[in-house]
C-alpha cells in the first residue's frame, strides 16, 4: 500500500436513493479517471475579469501544469501499476487508467456498484463511494482533484416540454403564450440588425444524445436560413449518437437550433462526452475552452444542484471557466428548471442553486414567459417563468452556498440580501408554453427551459462579438455597472412580475430573472460607447 495523504475537497456524501445492485465490481476491470494538477502559478484576477486576454500557449506555459509536476505524477503512478494515457498541460488534466483495485488502493477508497436517482431523471447504475479520497504522499501538493472513480451523474439537461394547451387562463394577460421560433425571439429581443454571428465560433457542451443532419436541414430551411456549419467532437469516447435517448436528443436539437436560429452565421462545434459525470463534464468543457480557434462563447444547458457536486468537482469546473475568461471566451449556463428548490421531485423543498450556473465565471441564464407580437416585433408581456403548479417547471435562481458574492455583483440587489453569489445574471424566454419550435427525430415540437436561454444568449454574444470586432470573456463586469437597488441595468428589460418559488421578481437585479431579458440593440450601443477611465471595457 502506498503512503497516502488526504485530498481536501474530495468528500462525497451518501445518496439516500442509492441501492446496491448486488453485483460486485471486478477489481481487475480497467477504467480511466481524470486528475487535475495545481497551477504552476496563480492566474491573475485581471486576466479573468478582462478585458486583457492571453493566448492558449501563454496560459499553458505560465498557468498550466508544470513539466516537473507532470513528470512526478508519471513516475509515482507508474510505480503503482497505473498508466498515464494523456496529459493536457494547459487545462492541467491527466488521464490515468488502471484496474479498479489498483486505482482504489492508490487513492484510498472503496468502490461499489449502486443504482440511484438523485437528480430525478430516472435510475442510473454507477460506481459509488462515500467519504474522502487520498493521494500518494509524493503527490499531495500536486494533485488538486481526482475525478471519475465515482461516476454518479451530477448534471441533467435543463429542458421542459409542456403537454398543456396555453390559454389566457394560465395567468398571462392580455394574451396567451404561444411557441415561437428562435428568429421571432431574436426579433422581439432586438438582436442587433446587420449581424448574424459570422466569423464567430459557438461551442456547445452535450453530455449525451445527438443530432441528425436531416433534422437540421428541415429546421433551418423551414426558417429560410442556411444550415450553420455544425461539427461534432468526441470527448472520452462520446459521440453524436441520436436515437438512443430522446430527452438528450431534444436537448441537443434545442441547443443547436436556437443558437443557429439567432446566429446562423456562427460556426458551431458540439462537444459530446459520454456521461453527465464530474469527469466527463470537465473533460468536455476543457476540450472546448482549449480548442483552436478559441470559441467566442461556450453554451452549457446541463447542470445539477450545488450539493450534488463534490467541492473538488465544482472547483475544477470553476477554474476551467476562469481559463475560458482569460482566453476571451464567455460561458453561458442555464440556471435550472425547478424553481428556487432546483429539485424536480421536491419543488417546495429547501432553496438551492444550480451548478455550473452558480460559478461566478459563468453567465447564469434564468427564465421568463414571453408573450409577443412577432409580426410587429413587439413584446406584449414578460414575467418570471413559473409553471410549478402544473408540474412544468420554473426558472432557477437563488443564492449560492459554495461561492461568495463577486465584486461586480455587490450592491446590485434590492429586495434580497446577498449572502452568496446571486443566480441568475440574465434571463430570456424559457416557459415551454412560449417555448421554441425545434425539430428532433423528424418531429416538430415546442421545447422550453433555461436550456434554451443559454444558447439564446450564446447567439446574442456571437452577434455582439461580430459587431464589435472583439470577444468578451467574463461579461458580468461589463453588464452590472449601472445596476443598483431598483435600477434597470442599461441594455436590459427589467422583469418585475412573478416568482420562482421562494423568491419574487422585483425592480433591479433579483434571484429570479437577474438583470432581466436582453435588449440586444441597446447592449451593442453600450459596448460600442467610449469607455470611461473606470469602465471595465477600458
Amino acid at each position: 500500500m502506498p503512503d497516502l495523504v488526504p485530498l481536501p475537497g474530495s468528500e462525497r456524501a451518501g445518496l439516500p436513493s442509492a441501492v446496491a445492485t448486488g453485483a460486485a465490481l471486478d477489481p481487475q476491470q480497467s477504467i480511466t479517471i481524470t486528475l487535475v494538477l495545481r497551477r504552476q502559478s496563480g492566474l491573475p484576477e485581471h486576466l479573468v475579469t478582462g478585458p486583457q486576454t492571453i493566448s492558449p500557449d501563454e496560459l499553458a506555459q505560465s498557468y498550466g501544469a508544470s513539466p516537473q509536476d507532470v513528470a512526478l505524477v508519471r513516475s509515482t503512478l507508474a510505480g503503482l501499476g497505473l498508466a498515464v494515457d494523456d496529459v493536457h498541460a494547459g487545462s492541467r488534466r491527466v488521464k490515468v487508467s488502471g484496474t479498479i483495485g489498483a486505482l482504489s488502493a492508490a487513492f484510498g477508497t472503496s468502490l461499489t456498484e449502486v443504482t440511484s436517482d438523485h437528480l430525478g431523471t430516472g435510475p442510473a447504475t454507477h460506481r459509488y463511494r462515500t467519504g474522502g479520497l487520498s493521494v500518494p504522499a509524493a503527490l499531495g501538493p500536486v494533485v488538486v482533484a481526482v475525478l471519475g472513480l465515482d461516476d454518479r451523474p451530477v448534471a441533467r439537461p435543463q429542458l421542459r416540454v409542456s403537454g398543456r394547451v396555453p390559454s389566457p387562463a394560465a395567468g398571462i394577460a392580455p394574451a396567451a403564450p404561444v411557441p415561437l421560433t428562435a428568429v421571432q425571439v431574436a426579433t422581439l429581443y432586438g438582436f442587433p440588425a446587420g449581424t448574424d454571428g459570422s466569423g464567430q465560433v459557438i461551442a456547445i457542451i452535450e453530455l449525451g444524445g445527438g443530432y441528425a443532419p436531416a433534422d437540421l436541414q428541415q429546421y433551418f430551411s423551414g426558417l429560410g436560413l442556411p444550415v450553420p456549419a455544425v461539427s461534432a467532437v468526441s470527448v472520452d469516447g462520446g459521440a453524436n449518437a441520436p436515437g438512443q435517448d430522446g430527452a438528450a436528443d431534444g436537448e441537443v436539437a434545442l441547443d443547436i437550433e436556437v443558437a443557429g436560429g439567432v446566429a446562423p452565421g456562427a460556426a458551431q462545434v458540439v462537444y459530446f462526452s459520454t456521461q453527465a459525470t464530474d469527469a466527463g463534464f470537465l473533460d468536455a468543457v476543457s476540450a472546448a475552452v482549449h480548442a483552436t480557434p478559441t470559441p467566442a462563447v461556450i453554451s452549457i444547458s446541463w447542470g445539477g444542484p450545488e450539493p450534488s457536486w463534490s467541492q473538488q468537482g465544482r472547483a475544477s469546473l470553476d477554474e476551467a471557466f476562469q481559463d475560458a475568461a482569460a482566453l476571451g471566451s464567455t460561458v453561458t449556463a442555464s440556471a435550472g428548471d425547478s424553481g428556487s428548490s432546483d429539485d424536480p421531485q421536491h419543488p417546495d423543498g429547501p432553496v438551492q442553486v444550480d451548478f455550473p450556473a452558480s460559478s461566478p465565471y459563468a453567465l447564469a441564464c434564468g427564465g421568463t414567459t414571453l408573450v409577443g407580437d412577432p409580426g410587429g416585433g413587439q413584446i406584449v408581456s414578460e414575467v418570471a417563468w413559473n409553471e410549478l403548479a402544473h408540474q412544468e417547471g420554473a426558472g432557477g435562481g437563488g443564492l449560492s452556498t459554495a461561492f461568495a458574492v463577486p465584486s461586480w455583483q455587490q450592491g446590485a440587489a434590492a429586495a434580497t440580501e446577498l449572502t452568496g453569489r446571486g443566480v441568475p445574471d440574465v434571463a430570456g424566454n424559457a416557459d415551454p408554453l412560449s417555448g421554441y419550435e425545434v425539430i428532433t427525430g423528424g418531429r416538430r415540437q415546442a421545447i422550453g427551459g433555461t436550456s434554451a436561454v443559454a444558447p439564446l444568449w450564446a447567439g446574442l454574444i456571437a452577434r455582439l462579438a461580430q459587431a464589435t470586432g472583439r470577444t468578451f470573456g467574463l461579461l458580468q463586469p461589463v453588464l452590472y455597472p449601472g445596476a443598483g437597488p431598483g435600477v434597470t441595468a442599461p441594455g436590459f428589460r427589467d422583469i418585475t412580475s412573478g416568482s420562482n418559488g421562494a423568491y419574487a421578481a422585483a425592480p433591479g437585479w433579483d434571484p429570479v430573472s437577474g438583470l432581466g431579458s436582453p435588449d440586444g440593440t441597446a447592449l451593442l450601443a453600450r459596448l460600442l460607447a467610449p469607455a470611461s477611465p473606470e469602465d471595465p471595457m477600458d
Side-chain angles (χ1 to χ4, degrees):
M1 291 289 291
D3 183 20
L4 302 178
V5 296
L7 177 62
S10 62
E11 293 76 15
R12 277 286 200 189
L15 297 176
S17 66
V19 177
T21 64
L25 290 172
D26 180 1
Q28 296 306 309
Q29 177 187 353
S30 182
I31 62 174
T32 301
I33 65 172
T34 299
L35 305 190
V36 182
L37 310 188
R38 65 184 175 183
R39 294 189 190 277
Q40 55 187 297
S41 58
L43 189 62
E45 184 68 13
H46 73 272
L47 290 181
V48 178
T49 56
Q52 180 183 351
T53 62
I54 57 176
S55 70
D57 286 345
E58 291 173 315
L59 179 67
Q61 292 170 9
S62 298
Y63 309 108
S66 73
Q68 295 80 10
D69 283 353
V70 171
L72 180 61
V73 169
R74 284 187 184 277
S75 62
T76 302
L77 296 185
L80 300 174
L82 304 176
V84 171
D85 298 329
D86 191 30
V87 175
H88 192 282
S91 62
R92 304 163 15 251
R93 291 174 301 128
V94 177
K95 303 296 288 185
V96 176
S97 63
T99 66
I100 287 177
L103 286 165
S104 297
F107 297 107
T109 193
S110 177
L111 298 174
T112 58
E113 183 179 83
V114 303
T115 297
S116 70
D117 182 21
H118 65 293
L119 293 181
T121 56
T125 300
H126 55 86
R127 295 189 300 273
Y128 178 69
R129 68 173 178 85
T130 58
L133 296 174
S134 298
V135 297
L139 302 182
V142 173
V143 175
V144 297
V146 176
L147 307 176
L149 288 168
D150 180 325
D151 61 350
R152 71 183 73 178
V154 295
R156 59 191 173 224
Q158 308 281 19
L159 80 169
R160 292 281 179 153
V161 179
S162 175
R164 292 187 298 129
V165 176
S167 69
I172 307 299
V178 296
L180 301 164
T181 69
V183 175
Q184 290 170 334
V185 173
T187 299
L188 292 171
Y189 283 146
F191 281 24
T195 64
D196 63 359
S198 292
Q200 309 303 315
V201 175
I202 298 174
I204 298 176
I205 305 301
E206 302 293 358
L207 306 179
Y211 64 89
D215 286 344
L216 302 187
Q217 179 64 46
Q218 181 183 354
Y219 176 79
F220 288 104
S221 64
L223 293 177
L225 296 173
V227 179
V230 180
S231 57
V233 174
S234 173
V235 179
D236 295 344
N240 175 29
Q244 300 179 19
D245 183 333
D249 286 353
E251 180 60 66
V252 176
L254 182 68
D255 293 342
I256 294 174
E257 292 172 10
V258 169
V262 301
Q268 297 186 33
V269 183
V270 188
Y271 292 83
F272 287 98
S273 190
T274 49
Q275 294 179 318
T277 64
D278 51 10
F281 210 144
L282 175 66
D283 288 343
V285 169
S286 295
V289 170
H290 295 272
T292 302
T294 299
V297 58
I298 301 170
S299 177
I300 302 174
S301 294
W302 298 68
E306 280 187 335
S308 71
W309 294 75
S310 66
Q311 189 276 332
Q312 64 170 2
R314 287 193 304 266
S316 297
L317 204 51
D318 182 64
E319 290 179 359
F321 296 160
Q322 294 178 43
D323 287 351
L327 294 171
S329 187
T330 303
V331 176
T332 62
S334 54
D337 290 352
S338 300
S340 56
S341 74
D342 200 36
D343 184 348
Q345 297 170 307
H346 303 95
D348 297 325
V351 296
Q352 56 187 352
V353 293
D354 204 83
F355 181 82
S358 66
S359 164
Y361 303 101
L363 185 71
C365 300
T368 69
T369 301
L370 177 66
V371 178
D373 171 16
Q378 299 296 315
I379 293 176
V380 176
S381 69
E382 190 171 18
V383 301
W385 166 41
N386 188 336
E387 300 289 353
L388 292 174
H390 301 280
Q391 290 79 51
E392 292 180 353
L399 307 177
S400 171
T401 58
F403 298 99
V405 182
S407 59
W408 37 262
Q409 199 172 47
Q410 294 175 358
T416 303
E417 180 184 356
L418 290 180
T419 57
R421 190 272 203 260
V423 176
D425 295 304
V426 299
N429 182 43
D431 190 329
L433 292 177
S434 59
Y436 300 75
E437 294 182 357
V438 301
I439 293 177
T440 177
R443 185 166 65 94
R444 186 180 300 275
Q445 61 180 312
I447 302 179
T450 57
S451 272
V453 188
L456 175 77
W457 268 89
L460 173 58
I461 291 167
R463 289 172 66 158
L464 295 172
Q466 175 194 6
T468 59
R470 63 176 185 267
T471 57
F472 307 108
L474 187 66
L475 198 53
Q476 289 95 316
V478 181
L479 300 180
Y480 274 84
V487 178
T488 302
F492 287 89
R493 288 177 44 84
D494 198 2
I495 309 302
T496 60
S497 178
S499 75
N500 65 355
Y503 302 102
W509 181 92
D510 57 66
V512 181
S513 59
L515 297 170
S517 60
D519 179 336
T521 300
L523 277 176
L524 176 58
R526 182 178 179 184
L527 293 171
L528 290 174
S532 67
E534 294 79 21
D535 195 305
M537 291 299 293
D538 190 7

